[in-house]
Amino acid sequence: MALSAALCSRGAIIVPSSERICSKLLRNTSITTRLFSAPAKKVVVVHSIGADRPGIVADITRIVTDKGGNVGESRAQLLGGIFSLMMQVDIGEKDVGDLRDQLASGVKGMKTECLESVEKNANVAPMIAFAGRFKLSGADNPGIVHKLTSILARNSLSIVNMKTKHEDAPFGGTELFTVEGKSVAYEPLASNFEWTKIREELKQLGDSLNCDIEFDNITGSSFRH
C-alpha cells in the first residue's frame, strides 16, 4: 500500500498484474488475417473426333465430372461414320491440366483435346436437350414409383418435378393411384437416346403392373421446374 501510494503521488498508474500480462501478450503477438475465396474457374472447350461407337459421350462426360467439371452447351455431328463432339466445360483452374491429360488418353479410339475458351465472359449453364412429361394411373403396387423412376434414371433422365396422389376411380369403388411429373436430359444426349424407346419401355412396365403410363415429348415447351 505504501508503494502504491508513493507511485500515485508521483502520477504513476497502477496496472493489475493480469492486465499487465495481457498487454504484454498483445504487444508480442502477430495477428494474421486470412481471406478465403472461391477457387478460380475456367471455361474450356472439349473437342473429340473419331470412329463412332456406343458410349463416347458417356466416356467423355464421366472424365469431366470426375474432375469436378460442369458440362454446358455442346454440339455433336455424325458424318461418314465419324463422330465429332464439342462441349463447353466449366472447371476449376487448377484442374484444367489434369482434365486435358485424362481426355487425351482416356477416351478409346478418339482424338480428344481441351482448349481454353477465347470468349472473355464465357459461362456454362446446362442446356436441356430433351424434356418429357410422364403420367401413371392405376391400382397402387409395391415399389411402383421406384420402378417408374428407375427406367427414367437408366435412360439419363432427371426428374425436375413429380407428385403422387390417391383418388377414387370414376367408376367403381376402387382407389386410383396417380404419379405425374416432368423429366429432362441435358446436353449432350447419348448417341443412342430415343425417347420413343423410353415410352415403349414405360408402356411395358404399365402393362405388367396393370396400369396406364403416358410419356410425351415436350421439348421446347415452357414449363416450371
Side-chain angles (χ1 to χ4, degrees):
M1 288 297 292
L3 176 60
S4 297
L7 290 172
C8 286
S9 65
R10 297 180 183 180
I13 299 175
I14 303 300
V15 180
S17 60
S18 60
E19 291 184 21
R20 241 185 353 257
I21 293 170
C22 288
S23 178
K24 185 176 181 181
L25 285 173
L26 286 172
R27 285 197 304 271
N28 296 330
T29 301
S30 174
I31 300 175
T32 303
T33 301
R34 306 180 80 184
L35 298 177
F36 295 90
S37 58
K41 291 279 189 176
K42 269 190 178 293
V43 175
V44 298
V45 175
V46 173
H47 178 232
S48 185
I49 187 168
D52 189 34
R53 63 169 175 81
I56 292 174
V57 175
D59 289 347
I60 295 173
T61 54
R62 174 183 55 79
I63 292 173
V64 169
T65 54
D66 284 350
K67 293 299 176 184
N70 179 41
V71 177
E73 188 175 354
S74 66
R75 298 286 184 272
Q77 187 71 44
L78 179 63
L79 184 64
I82 301 299
F83 180 74
S84 174
L85 171 71
M86 293 181 69
M87 67 169 64
Q88 275 193 329
V89 172
D90 183 33
I91 190 168
E93 189 172 5
K94 65 181 180 61
D95 297 315
V96 173
D98 285 344
L99 176 64
R100 183 179 287 113
D101 293 341
Q102 285 290 315
L103 290 172
S105 60
V107 188
K108 182 181 177 182
M110 301 293 287
K111 180 182 178 182
T112 308
E113 56 186 345
C114 182
L115 308 170
E116 291 189 20
S117 174
V118 297
E119 294 182 8
K120 292 182 179 180
N121 299 317
N123 58 72
V124 172
M127 302 288 291
I128 295 175
F130 171 85
R133 178 186 289 113
F134 58 89
K135 182 176 181 179
L136 177 152
S137 56
D140 197 2
N141 287 278
I144 191 170
V145 174
H146 172 69
K147 292 173 182 176
L148 168 65
T149 55
S150 292
I151 290 177
L152 298 176
R154 190 162 60 246
N155 287 279
S156 302
L157 287 168
S158 301
I159 295 173
V160 293
N161 61 47
M162 183 176 74
K163 63 180 180 180
T164 63
K165 64 180 178 179
H166 290 85
E167 58 186 0
D168 293 332
F171 304 100
T174 59
E175 191 177 50
L176 188 67
F177 178 68
T178 63
V179 182
E180 56 183 320
K182 291 157 189 168
S183 59
V184 298
Y186 295 103
E187 293 277 11
L189 284 178
S191 58
N192 62 346
F193 183 90
E194 292 186 37
W195 78 271
T196 53
K197 288 185 178 180
I198 302 172
R199 181 177 62 184
E200 182 60 28
E201 191 175 356
L202 289 170
K203 182 179 182 302
Q204 291 176 6
L205 173 65
D207 292 343
S208 69
L209 297 174
N210 194 29
C211 62
D212 295 323
I213 303 180
E214 303 171 13
F215 186 65
D216 299 313
N217 183 353
I218 59 169
T219 306
S221 303
S222 60
F223 64 91
R224 294 182 181 272
H225 282 220

